[in-house]
Each structure stands twice: as C-alpha cells, then as structure tokens.
Amino acid sequence: RKEVEQDPGPFNVPEGATVAFNCTYSNSASQSFFWYRQDCRKEPKLLMSVYSSGNEDGRFTAQLNRASQYISLLIRDSKLSDSATYLCAVGRGSGYALNFGKGTSLLVTP
Amino acid sequence: NAGVTQTPKFQVLKTGQSMTLQCAQDMNHNSMYWYRQDPGMGLRLIYYSASEGTTDKGEVPNGYNVSRLNKREFSLRLESAAPSQTSVYFCASRERSIGNQPQHFGDGTRLSIL
C-alpha cells in the first residue's frame, strides 16, 4: 500500500460548486499534514497546513482524522482559478522529507 | 523574496553526458530535498539532506549523487545521463524545528535526455 493515496480524479465541477478531496495515509506515526496546489508544469505551492482541530483559510477548509488516517480539503464557491492539481503531503517529523500523494486534478468550468 | 532557486530551468543532454543541477535557498532552512516528477508517478524523492553535512537516499537514488555544499546549497549530479532520467526535477527546503514545517519548492529544472 502506498504511504499516501489520493483519488486522481479528474473532478469536473461548475463555478460556485463545493468540492471535497480526501487523502489517506498509512503511517500512524505521521505528525504533519499539508495541502499543496500544483498548476500545470509548475512547482507545488503550499496551500495550507492541516491542524488536528481543523482549519479554514477563506474558501478552503482542511480537516484531519487521525483515527481513520485521512485528511480532507473542502473548497467552497469554486472559482475558475481553482483549477489545478491538489497534492496532499504527510510528514513524520523534522528533517524527514514529506511523502506526497500523486494529486487530485480539479477542473472548474464556467 | 527568492526562496528556493534552481538552475538551469531547462537542459537537453545526450545519453552518457554528465551535469549538475544547482539549488540554493535563502530562508536559512536546515533540510533540503531533491524530487523528480514524471507523468502519473507523482513526486518521488531522490536524495535529501536533513542538515548541513548529511545526505541520505530517498526512494529513487540510483544514477544520482548529491552534495550539500553548505547550508544554502544542495546540488544533484547525473554522472552518466540516461533517457529514463528525463523528468522535471524539483528542489525543496524545510526549516528544521520542534514544530512541523512545510517544504518550499523551487520552480524546477526540466531535463531531457536524448
């Protein structure tokens, strides 16, 4: 089993829709969790960290479920500019590299 | 704010040639990483350096070597390039601290091996 797994999609949604992605991880010792956004042929950029109590940044909400070992990203009121690939990343601790999922592709249509 | 800088941005090599990909960060981060990204494969870790003076193999180290030249710089070397090494290479850095910090990426080197 891969350490970090994501549904590759694509998720095609109309503007204004709400869309949610999940990401499962296999290592129960994981300590840090992040969502990155990657545009076509560009570098991954940090979208948000994921905290145990859940956190929100504007239209984006991230949640962590340690018992079931998954993190989620909810995007409300989708914009055309949200079209991208969303990568989840899971870490074991400082110094170690993050483990990335292969990403979920989102296409927001007019 | 430069962040993580990679050079070159693009490179075409012939099979058997060697080259070094350069990476430098100006965020005083302790840890640095090299990934490759291929279609359908996601980001795969090649090598990493948890701190200055240390390097460790990642998931796909074969055919590569690295040097952590100083705290700022972490280079990736292909000694004898092969077509299978055609990829997009990303360098990343991360602050080592008690808390958990994200990685920050450079904008990549697009490498083609003919």
Side-chain angles (χ1 to χ4, degrees):
Chain A
R1 181 185 172 188
K2 296 284 186 184
E3 283 208 42
V4 181
E5 293 195 76
Q6 296 182 252
D7 181 344
F11 284 61
N12 294 328
V13 302
E15 266 187 296
T18 295
V19 61
F21 310 135
N22 281 341
C23 167
T24 59
Y25 61 94
S26 61
N27 191 334
S28 60
S30 298
Q31 300 176 14
S32 55
F33 308 89
F34 308 94
W35 282 103
Y36 283 77
R37 171 193 169 126
Q38 186 173 27
D39 293 293
C40 186
R41 299 181 64 77
K42 297 291 183 79
E43 76 275 22
K45 293 185 177 178
L46 179 68
L47 180 65
M48 58 196 303
S49 302
V50 186
Y51 302 117
S52 297
S53 56
N55 48 297
E56 189 174 301
D57 183 1
R59 297 181 293 108
F60 299 85
T61 300
Q63 292 193 315
L64 167 64
N65 186 318
R66 286 191 182 273
S68 300
Q69 296 186 200
Y70 73 87
I71 62 173
S72 63
L73 177 68
L74 181 78
I75 305 175
R76 291 182 300 278
D77 188 23
S78 297
K79 311 291 185 192
L80 295 176
S81 57
D82 293 334
S83 297
T85 297
Y86 291 84
L87 308 175
C88 66
V90 177
R92 285 184 289 153
S94 62
Y96 292 100
L98 298 179
N99 284 308
F100 286 83
K102 292 185 180 180
T104 297
S105 176
L106 172 65
L107 179 62
V108 181
T109 56
Chain B
N1 294 334
V4 180
T5 302
Q6 292 184 234
T7 56
K9 298 285 188 289
F10 302 93
Q11 185 71 48
V12 178
L13 294 177
K14 294 181 180 178
T15 297
Q17 287 185 314
S18 61
M19 81 161 293
T20 300
L21 280 62
Q22 307 286 354
C23 175
Q25 52 88 13
D26 63 1
M27 297 176 282
N28 201 35
H29 285 175
N30 287 291
S31 303
M32 297 185 73
Y33 311 87
W34 276 106
Y35 291 87
R36 60 178 290 175
Q37 188 174 40
D38 304 291
M41 300 296 292
L43 288 163
R44 291 185 291 171
L45 183 67
I46 304 171
Y47 270 94
Y48 69 101
S49 171
S51 60
E52 187 178 356
T54 69
T55 60
D56 286 286
K57 294 179 180 180
E59 181 185 355
V60 288
N62 291 345
Y64 305 95
N65 284 301
V66 291
S67 294
R68 183 72 183 268
L69 303 172
N70 47 56
K71 191 172 184 179
R72 289 186 66 248
E73 298 172 287
F74 188 39
S75 63
L76 179 71
R77 182 160 178 84
L78 286 70
E79 290 290 351
S80 179
S84 60
Q85 294 177 305
T86 293
S87 188
V88 181
Y89 291 84
F90 289 107
C91 176
S93 69
R94 188 181 187 198
E95 180 184 8
R96 190 185 68 184
S97 64
I98 297 175
N100 291 297
Q101 302 295 324
Q103 289 174 192
H104 300 273
F105 287 83
D107 56 6
T109 294
R110 284 139 186 89
L111 182 62
S112 293
I113 316 295
L114 304 178

